Amino acid sequence: MPPKKRPKPEKGQSFLTAMFKKSNVSQSASASDADDPMEGGSEELPLSSDAPSGTPSPPSHEPDLGAKSKDVENESTKAPARQLVSSWFKVFPWLVYNEETRTMFCSVCMNDGVAKNSFTRGCGNLRKSALSEHAETSDHKRALQTPVQVQNQMQAEKMQLTREEHAILQAARAVHWLVSEDLPLSKFPSFMSLLQEYKVEDVDKLLVSNNTTYSSRDTAMDILETLAEDVDEKASVLLKESPFVSVLADESTDITIKKRMGVFAKTVTTDMIPTTRFLANRHVENGTGQVIAEGILDEMSTRGVDPEKIIGFGSDGAAAMTGTRNGAAGILRHVNPHMLNSHCIAHRLALCTSQAAKDVPALQEFQETLTTLYYYFKGSANRNEALSRIQELLETPQLKIKEIHSVRWLSFYTALDTVFRSLDALLTYLAASDRRRDPKAVALQKKIASEKFISLAHILMDIIPIVTALNQFFQKKDIDLALIKVKVNQCISDLETMKTEQTGEHRELLKQELTVVEGARYYKGHAVTGCKESDITSATTKFIDNLVRNIKTRFPDSELMSAFGCLGMRPISFLSGEDLTNWGTSDLEKLLDHFGEERKVTWTDSEGVEQAKKSAPVVDKEATRREWKDLKETVNAQHYPRDNFAKLWQLISRFHKESFPNLSKLAQIALVLPVHTADVERGFSNQNIILTAKRNRLNLDTQNMLLKQKIEGQKKRDDAYLWSIVKRWKQKRERRLFKSKTSASQLETTNSSS
């Protein structure tokens, strides 16, 4: 039977059935892409929850039954517009859709910053095939391999673990938390028992048998060792890859009265990224330079690092550290004669302040009064409580009197600031003390309730913060060498201004609060004894003169470290012609005199035999001079930012590495120079947090493992990081926990190979 002929609608008419279809666009798209159900999209928008967060949601395309007949006619005659399908986001997780422009983007290629293709500009071809083709492009594949994308991919992928693997992952998380919170690992078993009580998933699997449990302290120590090994491995890689290495070392005595030497190292990558790493807290039998140097060389040898790469040595300036013959610096030069010895600039500045006050009797007396005041309140809870109540009544800060420590850089300012802010309360308390029962209070009142003490407190509150600000700058982790000279000169200028103009915020405050009534002197209503104004002026002037002279002596312009500042090229934007050509040449010549020539050291060994060591020039003199002229012009022409030394040289290394090989070496040396030893001091602070009165039996190996994780270990406890630790832990030896167990990842490998 022949098929029936389908009637054709007249002009301007359409079939009635078209009005009851879900969507003309959906029907047309389905018809055209029937071979690929993902292509045309039987799934309707708005997008499902599978779409990545932050992706704009395209509009819903539900049918409008009230559309005009003209629109229906146009739909039947025009090609339907393609629509985005929500399920594409599952297949292509990098897909980003812009609803306004109806274009697709690739988040991987956009974040890469290098890739340039239609998916970085916006692709309007809304086909699944376009997405598949983009996924196969070299641009996209290369962008996927960048460190950021690899890390994101690792974190995004859900690891399929057995229950035993998940249990030990939880144990690793617990150990990491205990170490981060400075809690003893002896708490690990009870902590895991608590997790079992709370029914934390799979923790019960750690109990293999009555005799074998992975909730013991031994397991915690084993995991801690693995965490420390991970830190050690990363540090050793940085040391081996760094073209130059500097060592920072200092000595301390721990709570068990044992001498320790903290060892840190500064490294730099070929891309000019500097880092400072903790290496070890070593035991030293005595503090001689020979023992210190041998400890440092042994640390480098243990890590497989060539000791000739040691280009700098930083210390606190003690004779055992800096001695040219028997000091650690002198002995390390036997390995590399080009090595620079650096006296920590924060230590130097602290010496400037303390020595400036030595031959000023008024300031010596002032400091002694601060110390006496501290010990007066230190041993009495009643005195501290009484002072606190007075501070509360006077609505002043409730502060405790601080001690001046000779080994703490900012302790004098802290003690001064506390007394200054508590002057009113102190004078009130001392005046109300029982003179017969508390003769110490009477003696203190005579010293503090005097115009000399109060005036010096105000004047020093204007002077000391200038030096303190410089000291805080000197303690920054990665200090900018180009700024050292600038900051020192600014400090000297501010001190000179303070001396000549005799102005300051606290001096002006003193004029308002120190009054004279009928010949008697009062400070905030408290009667005080007077003194000659010339005595205060003389003491202030002499202190500032001594301070400025000491700073100039300890931070000379001729210092080789200052010469590295020229590589920061800060002022070249303001120079041109001959001025630009000549700028920085004198500093560069200082560097070339040291690093552009062969250097030789001679010494006599313990057996009386004379020894000698030569080291070849680090850079070529003439080539460096040519590079210097070209570099200034290049940086000026490119308008590279020069507010940060490291960032400037990262740009130069990225775009002009081949053009300036010799200057790049000098910049790498500048970035690893041990300007200060604040990192070592912070290491000792962590040592004192870990080694307490209740944990004083920790052996040195355990201390080092805890310090490595606390100082250098990863702080975030994400699954990807902890799983890498667990895998390392599993590989160390056979674990009964996993005996006859196979992880999901191993099953996948077995299935794919079969």
Side-chain angles (χ1 to χ4, degrees), residues 137 399 712 726:
T137 60
L399 306 173
E712 302 292 350
V726 169

Side-chain angles (χ1 to χ4, degrees), residues 247-251 261-263 282-302 307 310 312-315 319-336 339 341 603:
V247 177
L248 297 85
D250 202 354
E251 294 176 287
M261 179 179 69
V263 182
R282 301 179 68 95
H283 172 70
V284 288
E285 296 178 358
N286 57 66
T288 64
Q290 184 70 35
V291 171
I292 293 169
E294 287 176 355
I296 292 170
L297 293 175
D298 180 64
E299 187 66 33
M300 293 295 118
S301 175
T302 302
I310 300 177
F313 175 65
S315 68
M321 292 285 189
T322 60
T324 55
R325 293 184 60 187
N326 299 321
I331 296 171
L332 290 175
R333 279 204 184 94
H334 299 170
V335 180
N336 183 1
M339 191 201 78
N341 175 37
W603 71 97

Side-chain angles (χ1 to χ4, degrees), residues 102-366:
R102 295 177 57 79
T103 50
M104 301 183 296
F105 295 87
C106 173
S107 61
V108 171
C109 292
M110 292 174 69
N111 291 335
D112 178 55
V114 178
K116 293 182 179 179
N117 49 58
S118 61
F119 276 78
T120 60
R121 296 185 295 269
C123 176
N125 184 12
L126 302 184
R127 290 176 178 269
K128 184 187 175 188
S129 57
L131 296 168
S132 301
E133 290 170 3
H134 175 72
E136 296 299 320
T137 60
S138 57
D139 260 6
H140 183 79
K141 289 180 177 179
R142 182 194 53 74
L144 279 172
Q145 299 306 313
T146 60
V148 174
Q149 296 300 335
V150 171
Q151 183 179 5
N152 291 342
Q153 186 176 358
M154 288 178 60
Q155 293 176 352
E157 291 178 354
K158 183 177 180 181
M159 295 178 297
Q160 301 296 323
L161 307 177
T162 66
R163 294 187 64 189
E164 289 75 17
E165 287 171 334
H166 188 255
I168 201 64
L169 190 73
Q170 301 286 51
R173 180 175 281 105
V175 172
H176 189 287
W177 180 82
L178 288 170
V179 174
S180 302
E181 297 297 323
D182 303 309
L183 296 174
L185 293 185
S186 58
K187 302 293 183 185
F188 178 73
S190 61
F191 185 51
M192 298 310 294
S193 297
L194 178 64
L195 296 183
Q196 289 182 25
E197 289 179 23
Y198 276 102
K199 296 183 172 26
V200 174
E201 188 179 7
D202 296 332
V203 172
D204 58 310
K205 288 294 179 181
L206 294 174
L207 181 62
V208 178
S209 66
N210 291 334
N211 298 324
T212 304
T213 174
Y214 285 85
S215 298
S216 66
R217 184 179 183 277
D218 291 340
T219 298
M221 289 297 297
D222 214 4
I223 294 173
L224 172 62
E225 183 180 344
T226 309
L227 288 167
E229 286 173 358
D230 181 67
V231 172
D232 259 340
E233 183 178 293
K234 292 174 182 176
S236 296
V237 169
L238 284 172
L239 286 166
K240 291 174 183 177
E241 293 180 351
S242 179
F244 302 100
V245 174
S246 283
V247 177
L248 297 85
D250 202 354
E251 294 176 287
S252 76
T253 303
D254 64 19
I255 195 172
T256 61
I257 320 299
K258 292 181 179 178
K259 190 175 283 295
R260 305 296 189 204
M261 179 179 69
V263 182
F264 282 70
K266 290 194 71 173
T267 62
V268 64
T269 66
T270 54
D271 296 327
M272 300 292 178
I273 300 174
T275 55
T276 304
R277 302 285 298 197
F278 169 73
L279 300 185
N281 199 27
R282 301 179 68 95
H283 172 70
V284 288
E285 296 178 358
N286 57 66
T288 64
Q290 184 70 35
V291 171
I292 293 169
E294 287 176 355
I296 292 170
L297 293 175
D298 180 64
E299 187 66 33
M300 293 295 118
S301 175
T302 302
R303 295 175 179 274
V305 180
D306 184 359
E308 292 188 0
K309 291 167 62 173
I310 300 177
I311 199 69
F313 175 65
S315 68
D316 60 356
M321 292 285 189
T322 60
T324 55
R325 293 184 60 187
N326 299 321
I331 296 171
L332 290 175
R333 279 204 184 94
H334 299 170
V335 180
N336 183 1
H338 276 101
M339 191 201 78
L340 293 178
N341 175 37
S342 173
H343 182 185
C344 169
I345 56 177
H347 278 91
R348 278 191 271 171
L349 189 61
L351 289 172
C352 290
T353 308
S354 61
Q355 292 175 356
K358 274 188 176 180
D359 58 346
V360 184
L363 290 177
Q364 286 289 91
E365 183 183 351
F366 182 87

Side-chain angles (χ1 to χ4, degrees), residues 9-19 69 72-73 76:
E10 297 292 335
K11 187 177 180 181
Q13 295 179 340
S14 62
F15 288 114
L16 186 63
T17 54
M19 296 182 62
S69 59
V72 175
E73 180 184 354
S76 63

Side-chain angles (χ1 to χ4, degrees), residues 37-43 45 47 83-89 95:
M38 296 290 290
E39 185 72 32
S42 59
E43 296 181 53
L45 300 176
L47 301 181
Q83 300 296 314
L84 196 74
V85 182
S86 61
S87 58
W88 292 355
F89 288 109
L95 173 61

Side-chain angles (χ1 to χ4, degrees), residues 27-81:
Q27 180 190 17
S28 302
S30 300
S32 61
D33 297 316
D35 59 327
D36 187 355
M38 296 290 290
E39 185 72 32
S42 59
E43 296 181 53
E44 290 294 326
L45 300 176
L47 301 181
S48 71
S49 59
D50 296 323
S53 60
T55 305
S57 299
S60 174
H61 292 276
E62 295 296 331
D64 183 4
L65 298 179
K68 295 181 181 179
S69 59
K70 186 176 180 181
D71 294 333
V72 175
E73 180 184 354
N74 290 340
E75 288 291 338
S76 63
T77 57
K78 291 171 58 178

